[in-house]
Amino acid sequence: MRREAPDKHTTPTRRDAPTKHTTPTRYDTPTKRPALMGRALATAALAVTAGGFGITPAPAHAAVTAPACAANYTLTNLRAAAPVKVWMAGDSTMMNASTCPIGWGSQFAPYFNSGVTVQNSAVGGRSIQTWLYEGNVTSAKDTAGECTLSSTAYSSRWSAMLNTTTGFKAGDYLIVQFGINDGDANCPRHVGPARFQELLGVMVSAAKNRGVKPILVTPVAAITCSGSTAVGNRGFVTQTKEAAAANGVPVIDLHARSVALYNSLRLCPNNGDYTAGAVGAFFCNDHTHFEAAGAKQIAGLITTALREQNIPLAAYLNA
C-alpha cells in the first residue's frame, strides 16, 4: 500500500453567512378582551432556553391557542438558523486536496446550506496518536507495546480546536475518523486497540466539555475483492463503535457503508488495475485513496447517514 501524503495544513472551507430570519408578523392588539382571556394571556411566558425559544404552557384552566404563525416557528428551524462549524479530524482519506489522494472531507461542504462552515484538519499519514501529539510520539514502545510520548503537548491542529477564542464553540460539531494508519506495527504510527479507544474518548470528552457535538466515523474501506464481492478490510471498527457507545455519541459506520457502495457500483471483480474503468474513476492508482468523484460519493454516504440516523447536523443539509 502506498504511504499516505505528508502533513499539509489546509484552509477551511468557508460558507456564506445564513440569511437572517425576519421578525414574525405581529398581530394588532384588540381594544377589548374578555377578562378570562386577559388573565390567560398574562400567564403565557416566552422562555429562552439553551436549545432555542419555547412557550411555557399556561395553567390547565386557561387554555390558550397560539397564533398559527407561532406553530411554524419550530425549535428545529431555530437551531438550523444558528451558524455552526463542523470540525474534522482524520487521515488522508478525509483530508483536503485538489489532486489524488482527495479525501472525502474536501467534498463535504457542498452538501450543506450556508449555515455551515467546514474546518477540515485531517492530515495524510496520521494515526489518532500522531494527529494529536505531532512530533512527540517516539519510535520506542513501552512495556504495553504502545509508542511512548516525549511530551504530552498537543499538536497545533488540536490546540487550535481547543483554543477558547478561535476554536470550538457550543453547538459546533466534531467529526473524527481514524483507524487506517493506526494498525501500523511500527512507531510512531502504531496504536493498540485499547489506546485507540482511549484517545477517541479524550477527543470526545474535550469536545463535549465545550458544548460541541462529536460524531465518530469508522474507517472507510479500501477496495478489496473476494471474487465478485467487495469485502471489509479495516481494523478499529469495533473500537470506534465501542468508544461511541461508552461516550454516548453517534457513530457512522462508514466502513460498512463504503463496502456496500462498492458492491452497488460493481467494482469487483478487478485485476488490480486501478487506472481504468469504474475502479479507476473512483480510486487513485492504489486501492485506498480517492479521485474527486469517489471522494464525493463517500461524502454522500456520510450525509445519508446523518439523515437516516437523525443526527441533528442533518438539519443543515441542502434539500
Side-chain angles (χ1 to χ4, degrees):
M1 183 186 302
R2 189 172 76 184
R3 296 279 296 185
E4 295 194 331
D7 192 345
K8 180 190 288 186
H9 290 289
T10 57
T11 303
T13 305
R14 179 76 187 206
R15 307 301 303 269
D16 293 336
T19 303
K20 295 182 179 178
H21 279 290
T22 56
T23 304
T25 303
R26 182 173 179 177
Y27 287 81
D28 292 336
T29 303
T31 55
K32 295 182 181 180
R33 292 190 181 93
L36 179 59
M37 182 60 74
R39 289 195 300 272
L41 289 173
T43 62
L46 182 64
V48 179
T49 67
F53 295 100
I55 300 296
T56 302
H61 66 274
V64 178
T65 301
C69 63
N72 295 326
Y73 207 49
T74 64
L75 184 61
T76 298
N77 291 337
L78 285 164
R79 283 176 175 163
V84 297
K85 181 174 281 191
V86 177
W87 304 81
M88 304 181 72
D91 54 38
S92 62
T93 61
M94 180 194 271
M95 73 178 186
N96 284 347
S98 57
T99 58
C100 260
I102 299 174
W104 64 262
S106 67
Q107 308 297 306
F108 199 45
Y111 282 95
F112 291 92
N113 64 33
S114 59
V116 168
T117 299
V118 174
Q119 171 66 54
N120 187 0
S121 297
V123 184
R126 288 353 182 236
S127 64
I128 188 171
Q129 186 156 253
T130 56
W131 189 95
L132 280 169
Y133 300 102
E134 187 77 48
N136 294 324
V137 186
T138 75
S139 59
K141 292 183 179 180
D142 60 20
T143 55
E146 296 294 343
C147 304
T148 60
L149 299 178
S150 59
S151 168
T152 55
Y154 287 131
S155 66
S156 59
R157 63 187 71 94
W158 184 230
S159 296
M161 292 186 185
L162 297 177
N163 187 289
T164 56
T165 302
T166 59
F168 289 147
K169 298 291 187 297
D172 286 350
Y173 289 82
L174 172 65
I175 299 179
V176 181
Q177 180 213 279
F178 288 102
I180 294 177
N181 301 305
D182 310 70
D184 195 321
N186 300 313
C187 294
R189 299 202 302 182
H190 170 79
V191 181
R195 177 64 170 165
F196 181 85
Q197 191 168 330
E198 175 191 355
L199 292 177
L200 282 177
V202 167
M203 298 182 74
V204 167
S205 295
K208 291 175 74 173
N209 288 341
R210 295 282 293 277
V212 174
K213 304 165 187 176
I215 301 170
L216 300 187
V217 178
T218 61
V220 64
I223 179 65
T224 300
C225 297
S226 176
S228 60
T229 303
V231 294
N233 45 45
R234 297 298 189 198
F236 299 98
V237 173
T238 298
Q239 287 74 24
T240 303
K241 292 178 179 179
E242 289 178 349
N247 290 278
V249 299
V251 58
I252 294 174
D253 192 354
L254 184 57
H255 185 258
R257 287 177 180 268
S258 56
V259 170
L261 175 64
Y262 303 158
N263 280 315
S264 71
L265 296 175
R266 298 182 179 180
L267 299 184
C268 292
N270 70 70
N271 60 4
D273 182 2
Y274 303 106
T275 64
V279 171
F282 199 103
F283 289 94
C284 304
N285 189 19
D286 60 17
H287 69 300
T288 298
H289 300 102
F290 309 116
E291 295 281 0
K296 183 177 181 179
Q297 291 192 66
I298 297 297
L301 295 179
I302 298 292
T303 62
T304 297
L306 293 176
R307 284 196 173 100
E308 291 180 350
Q309 297 177 217
N310 295 315
I311 297 173
L313 182 57
Y316 294 84
L317 290 168
N318 293 320

